[in-house]
Amino acid sequence: MGLTATRTRPAAPRREVPKSRGGRPTKSAAIERDQRLIEVATRLFLDRGFDATSLDAVAEAARVSKPTVYARYGDKRGLFAAVLRREIERWLAPLSAAAEMQLGSSSNISAEQRLVEIGREMLTFTCGPDAMAFSRMMTSQAINFPDIAKLGKEEGWLKAVATTARFFDHLMAQGALDVEDTTIAAEVFLDVVVGHTHRMATFGMPTEIKSAEKRMRAAIRLFLAGALGPADRVQDAAKGARRRRPTR
């Protein structure tokens, strides 16, 4: 049983595009046309995969002329990049909303509980079926199209890290968190909280929401406590190891 149910994307409505007096679509009509193209392309990429989806098929399904699609996106890679950018924005929206909500929450709520709420949202959108499908496509195309991988990193990973780091800055200001670098802390947090579950979902392994949340809570406690404890304990342990090292 997956973390989320598969979304059924409705077919694009058949609409005539209003034209301006010069024969070109009006600005609002052009925006609507582009939105329809992206919706249709998203559905086809999810249903058929990257290789089996063509610009001609997208144009036909969206009831738009082929020259319009080619002029707007250049090639299939450009269209896929546009689809991926829009999907990443959707995936990041819950994380941003959860972070903003926790920023405004009472300081009486523990840092652990705040991170659990954010972690729950992250599990939902990063391990959903659509996110997994696009993750696989992006991974398979990354070698041939490095700019696709760059887009995923800059628009997805780095923005998620930045959003989480800002939240950590807030916790630092409240005295609820003490780390040297909130950006590095955000990267570690994202890895330990959803990294494993996301990888398993990418491999097609079914994930139970209860077991995923249990692991997420344990990872957050580990993150907050630190694997070896405070820095002074780490230093003491290192000194003790040196003292116990046998001499030759």
Side-chain angles (χ1 to χ4, degrees):
M1 182 177 180
L3 291 173
T4 56
T6 302
R7 288 183 290 167
T8 302
R9 296 177 182 268
R14 300 184 179 184
R15 300 176 182 174
E16 296 295 331
V17 179
K19 301 292 183 67
S20 65
R21 293 183 179 181
R24 298 173 62 85
T26 63
K27 183 177 181 179
S28 60
I31 293 175
E32 181 182 349
R33 178 203 61 197
D34 288 345
Q35 291 175 342
R36 186 168 70 254
L37 273 171
I38 293 298
E39 285 292 344
V40 169
T42 299
R43 176 164 48 83
L44 291 182
F45 279 128
L46 287 173
D47 291 345
R48 304 179 183 182
F50 181 87
D51 292 331
T53 300
S54 67
L55 288 190
D56 290 357
V58 173
E60 181 179 357
R63 303 184 66 82
V64 176
S65 69
K66 296 177 184 178
T68 296
V69 181
Y70 282 96
R72 181 69 180 85
Y73 300 104
D75 55 18
K76 183 166 65 172
R77 179 177 57 181
L79 177 60
F80 183 72
V83 168
L84 185 61
R85 184 175 288 106
R86 200 277 302 270
E87 289 299 296
I88 288 174
E89 290 176 355
R90 287 180 171 179
W91 303 333
L92 289 180
L95 174 60
S96 298
E100 289 297 326
M101 182 180 298
Q102 295 307 316
L103 287 175
S105 63
S106 172
S107 58
N108 294 328
I109 301 177
S110 68
E112 179 179 343
Q113 186 56 40
R114 296 185 190 188
L115 293 180
V116 165
E117 293 300 323
I118 292 178
R120 184 178 291 115
E121 290 292 341
M122 289 166 56
L123 283 175
T124 299
F125 72 79
T126 59
C127 300
D130 287 2
M132 288 299 95
F134 275 107
S135 179
R136 296 186 192 103
M137 281 187 277
M138 184 170 59
T139 301
S140 67
Q141 300 303 320
I143 296 178
N144 295 327
F145 305 128
D147 53 329
I148 294 295
K150 182 179 179 181
L151 171 64
K153 176 184 178 182
E154 293 180 350
E155 298 295 324
W157 171 251
L158 292 183
K159 287 188 176 181
V161 168
T163 298
T164 307
R166 286 195 299 272
F167 176 62
F168 284 176
D169 287 334
H170 176 72
L171 292 181
M172 289 274 288
Q174 291 186 334
L177 195 66
D178 184 13
V179 296
E180 294 183 3
D181 189 311
T182 54
T183 298
I184 294 177
E187 292 174 344
V188 173
F189 175 78
L190 293 172
D191 276 335
V192 299
V193 172
V194 297
H196 172 79
T197 304
H198 178 79
R199 284 191 294 273
M200 293 301 101
T202 300
F203 296 153
M205 304 290 185
T207 303
E208 292 286 345
I209 184 62
K210 288 185 178 180
S211 62
E213 284 205 10
K214 180 180 179 181
R215 190 183 188 285
M216 178 261 294
R217 288 176 179 273
I220 289 175
R221 286 193 295 270
L222 179 63
F223 171 80
L224 289 174
L228 294 176
D232 56 344
R233 287 175 54 191
V234 176
Q235 293 174 358
D236 291 342
K239 292 178 181 178
R242 286 195 294 269
R243 286 196 297 268
R244 291 192 299 271
R245 186 178 303 167
T247 58
R248 294 183 180 180

